[in-house]
Amino acid sequence: MAGGGFCRLPNGSVVVALTLNGPAAGAGPGAQVRVLVHAANRARALTRLRNLGMRAVYLRGNAQPPTPDEVTAVLHHPDGLLWRTAPQTGQELWHPIRALLGSAGYAGPARPAA
């Protein structure tokens, strides 16, 4: 089960933060990662993760809501999906979700042809 929480922003959207067991491809075997998702509501945030292949992701309670620094990080990222190892060691930066999933097939949002 994932530990995590959410916070509602003044514009009505939410930032969801989850601590999950990381896949072997991105963070190393057995490592935990902190994943941040920005979406219109909690259900959509979890759906974004499930669509990337993280099927067993649920948010129960609000025990570990995102910190103000985490909210700022996810709001300034174009995809609105970030991760880093948890607990953070040193000055590790946030990574885009593509780096966690590796070759799992996520290639980012579709871009319209010009």
Side-chain angles (χ1 to χ4, degrees):
M1 179 164 48
F6 69 96
C7 70
R8 186 164 302 280
L9 302 175
N11 66 357
S13 63
V14 296
V15 173
V16 173
L18 296 167
T19 303
L20 307 169
N21 291 328
Q32 288 199 327
V33 294
R34 180 84 163 165
V35 178
L36 300 176
V37 184
H38 178 232
N41 57 46
R42 285 180 289 177
R44 286 190 182 182
L46 296 174
T47 299
R48 288 185 75 185
L49 290 174
R50 290 181 186 130
N51 287 342
L52 294 174
M54 299 180 195
R55 300 286 181 211
V57 175
Y58 296 96
L59 179 63
R60 291 184 173 92
N62 199 16
Q64 300 172 351
T67 64
D69 290 339
E70 291 175 335
V71 172
T72 301
V74 76
L75 290 178
H76 284 87
H77 193 271
D79 290 341
L81 277 163
L82 298 173
W83 72 275
R84 71 175 168 198
T85 57
Q88 181 188 4
T89 57
Q91 294 294 326
E92 182 183 5
L93 299 176
W94 289 97
H95 308 283
I97 199 73
R98 287 182 292 262
L100 179 65
L101 300 176
S103 61
Y106 180 75
R111 306 251 190 256

